Amino acid sequence: MKKLLLSLLISLPTLINAQPVDGFGKIKLGKTYDQLLSDIDVNPKKIVSSKNEKLSFSEVYRPRKATLVIYDSAHFQESLKYSYVMCESAKLLLLPSYKVSDIEVNNLELKFFNDTLYSIQITNPTSDFTTAFKLKYGSGKTETEKKTVQCSNALTGAGKFEVEEVAYTTTWSGEPDDIRAYSRLSDYRDSECKHQYISYYLISYDPTSTIVSQCERATKDIIKKRTEAQMKAKIKDF
């Protein structure tokens, strides 16, 4: 019955006024870390605390348990630098799932700065989540990007051939203007030219995102200088 109702609503013209996009359920931008945990009924004692160097790829993008990732100035893995907390006042909460309105939301990345939630990301959301999001916030504006890439068949040794990659980006705008919300669905080929899909939703408060980005660049510069100093020390007798 619920799915039938959703289908009927989708088939009708959009009558719901688009609201400012600030999150979903009880996960909203601007909440403190403790407030959020209380609101979504997560016991802080059951959250695993992890420093950067202990993370694996699967733990970041397919978390099996609630994990709080904290800043660690002493370690940094180049291979996963884009998923790391590289600012001392920032932290990242990874949640395997969150249920709202009978909809299971998986693979959540919640970013905090000065103890305030400023970014929400959902990787590979379900169709139920996508439907509910658009019913609440409107359809948004979708743009399509296409590009042609060259592939080769490694098994048969056949020559190169061309395939098309497509990406769909949907954006939502409204008051306040400094909140950025968009979704992206990419149909692409990996390094072996196998068909791959990835999609995600991102809601973020841009002023804080900018501050964190500046902080991360400063951290990278420190790491780079430290690495160069260590290399020079190794070859001091060269």
Side-chain angles (χ1 to χ4, degrees):
M1 182 67 184
K2 182 181 175 182
K3 290 187 177 180
L4 176 60
L5 177 59
L6 288 175
S7 298
L8 290 172
L9 286 170
I10 293 169
S11 65
L12 294 173
T14 302
L15 299 176
I16 302 174
N17 292 326
Q19 305 174 47
V21 184
D22 61 351
F24 52 91
K26 294 183 178 180
I27 298 180
K28 304 282 189 181
L29 297 179
K31 289 190 175 183
T32 66
Y33 179 75
D34 289 339
Q35 179 185 4
L36 178 69
L37 294 186
S38 176
D39 289 346
I40 64 176
D41 196 26
V42 173
N43 187 343
K45 294 181 180 179
K46 292 186 178 181
I47 296 178
V48 177
S49 184
S50 175
K51 291 189 177 181
N52 288 336
E53 83 280 5
K54 294 182 180 179
L55 282 177
S56 68
F57 185 89
S58 61
E59 286 174 326
V60 175
Y61 295 101
R62 291 289 187 275
R64 291 177 294 177
K65 53 193 174 185
T67 304
L68 179 64
V69 187
I70 56 178
Y71 174 80
D72 181 9
S73 62
H75 295 86
F76 180 77
Q77 274 184 265
E78 187 69 22
S79 61
L80 285 179
K81 63 183 179 183
Y82 47 82
S83 67
Y84 275 50
V85 177
M86 291 182 287
C87 187
E88 191 169 6
S89 298
K91 55 189 176 185
L92 168 64
L93 177 62
L94 303 170
L95 293 180
S97 64
Y98 166 65
K99 196 168 187 178
V100 53
S101 298
D102 291 328
I103 295 173
E104 194 79 23
V105 186
N106 301 316
N107 308 321
L108 290 97
E109 297 178 42
L110 308 177
K111 294 182 179 181
F112 297 80
F113 180 73
N114 287 336
D115 205 40
T116 301
L117 181 64
Y118 76 91
S119 177
I120 303 167
Q121 181 169 319
I122 305 95
T123 304
N124 292 326
T126 63
S127 58
D128 285 343
F129 174 88
T130 299
T131 298
F133 195 92
K134 291 184 176 180
L135 282 172
K136 180 172 183 177
Y137 292 121
S139 298
K141 180 182 178 182
T142 301
E143 295 182 352
T144 304
E145 305 168 43
K146 295 182 179 181
K147 69 175 182 179
T148 301
V149 297
Q150 287 193 332
C151 285
S152 59
N153 193 321
L155 294 177
T156 64
K160 292 184 178 180
F161 58 96
E162 293 185 342
V163 295
E164 187 176 69
E165 294 185 338
V166 185
Y168 305 92
T169 303
T170 302
T171 57
W172 287 265
S173 60
E175 297 293 337
D177 291 334
D178 43 19
I179 290 181
R180 181 166 54 106
Y182 70 91
S183 70
R184 186 171 177 86
L185 169 63
S186 297
D187 172 356
Y188 68 100
R189 302 298 179 113
D190 63 14
S191 59
E192 298 179 351
C193 220
K194 294 179 181 178
H195 222 147
Q196 301 289 345
Y197 296 92
I198 188 168
S199 65
Y200 63 89
Y201 276 69
L202 177 67
I203 306 167
S204 66
Y205 182 62
D206 266 353
T208 302
S209 294
T210 300
I211 293 172
V212 174
S213 294
Q214 293 170 345
C215 180
E216 289 178 341
R217 284 196 294 271
T219 300
K220 288 178 183 179
D221 288 341
I222 292 172
I223 292 169
K224 182 179 179 181
K225 290 177 182 178
R226 185 176 65 205
T227 302
E228 289 176 350
Q230 291 172 345
M231 292 178 65
K232 287 180 180 179
K234 287 182 180 179
I235 62 169
K236 62 181 180 180
D237 296 325
F238 180 77

